[in-house]
Amino acid sequence: MVWLSRQQEDTLIEIAKGGDEVAFEQLFTQYLPLINKWYRKLNFAQQLVDRDDWQQECRMVLFNTLNRYQGRHAGEFATYFRLNVRNRGFDLKRRQNARKRQSDQDDEALDGQAETIQIPSHHPDGLALVVLKERLDEVQSELSAFEAEVWRELMNGVDLAEMTIRLKCSDRRLRNAINRCRIKFTKTLQPTGND
């Protein structure tokens, strides 16, 4: 690879800004080591962004950088491009982590909660029913007013989208309340050593 002088790079930048694809690709090739370095540094897990996709993202970053670059009096092009590549990588990494968190939340499906609570296969006797009712009352007394509303809606089979409208709350607040309810009920209904 032949490294460009400052004057050659400035000329190439101006030509690429004018829409010349060959100049654009030559400039992109010049910065390919930097692009590959950031790909390794960001260490995208589970190949959600493969190398070709990353390079395509960096081509868009180069295009935007060229359009915004105001010449050497404003700073070095390489520094500006490196900063933009790094920031784009961080954005993609945040999206990847957000998708992973969302996926983890989706895995905790509400209808799968019965699996976490061990219910005996035989019919409980009167004493077991009394103990169960006392535990349920105990949990419900620990719920906040909002959690109690959310729990009633869940027990009535209302879906989450409709619940956010009925309770006038965000999806995130609703999911957090459901998660807190689930934790409280699971903790209280776990069999103790006496059961």
Side-chain angles (χ1 to χ4, degrees):
M1 174 179 292
V2 178
W3 291 102
L4 302 172
S5 69
R6 285 178 139 208
Q7 187 178 8
Q8 289 171 323
E9 186 180 60
D10 288 344
T11 305
L12 197 59
I13 288 169
E14 286 307 312
I15 295 170
K17 275 177 111 171
D20 187 294
E21 291 179 23
V22 174
F24 182 88
E25 278 305 312
Q26 190 177 352
L27 198 58
F28 182 79
T29 303
Q30 182 74 20
Y31 287 103
L32 203 51
L34 170 95
I35 291 164
N36 291 335
K37 174 186 168 189
W38 274 101
Y39 180 78
R40 289 187 304 274
K41 240 181 182 181
L42 292 164
N43 189 21
F44 291 108
Q46 301 168 357
Q47 294 292 327
L48 289 179
V49 177
D50 66 11
R51 192 173 296 275
D52 290 339
D53 289 342
W54 171 244
Q55 287 184 3
Q56 186 61 31
E57 289 287 338
C58 289
R59 276 186 170 82
M60 289 186 284
V61 169
L62 179 60
F63 179 79
N64 291 331
T65 302
L66 283 169
N67 288 333
R68 293 185 182 133
Y69 183 61
Q70 297 173 357
R72 290 215 185 266
H73 66 278
E76 291 289 325
F77 181 81
T79 304
Y80 186 44
F81 180 60
R82 180 182 57 78
L83 183 66
N84 290 337
V85 166
R86 185 196 71 171
N87 289 344
R88 182 62 185 147
F90 288 157
D91 286 346
L92 291 171
K93 192 73 170 174
R94 276 193 292 272
R95 277 191 199 162
Q96 183 185 58
N97 291 338
R99 272 188 242 136
K100 185 178 181 310
R101 281 193 302 276
Q102 184 62 46
S103 175
D104 290 347
Q105 287 175 352
D106 291 344
D107 288 345
E108 296 175 7
L110 294 175
D111 54 352
Q113 290 177 15
E115 296 172 8
T116 62
I117 301 170
Q118 298 297 324
I119 299 174
S121 58
H122 64 280
H123 295 287
D125 59 14
L127 179 60
L129 286 174
V130 169
V131 170
L132 180 61
K133 176 150 180 25
E134 286 174 358
R135 285 187 179 176
L136 287 172
D137 291 341
E138 179 184 327
V139 175
Q140 288 178 336
S141 69
E142 291 179 19
L143 297 178
S144 69
F146 182 69
E147 290 169 351
E149 281 184 83
V150 168
W151 188 253
R152 273 191 298 280
E153 296 290 320
L154 281 173
M155 293 300 99
N156 290 328
V158 178
D159 70 7
L160 300 185
E162 188 177 337
M163 226 183 289
T164 56
I165 295 167
R166 282 186 180 190
L167 300 177
K168 297 179 180 112
C169 67
S170 68
D171 183 65
R172 183 178 184 156
R173 182 177 180 214
L174 179 65
R175 288 182 183 278
N176 287 339
I178 291 170
N179 196 36
R180 289 191 305 272
C181 288
R182 182 185 60 80
I183 289 168
K184 289 176 183 178
F185 275 94
T186 302
K187 186 196 258 183
T188 304
L189 296 175
Q190 289 288 332
T192 62
N194 306 349
D195 295 345

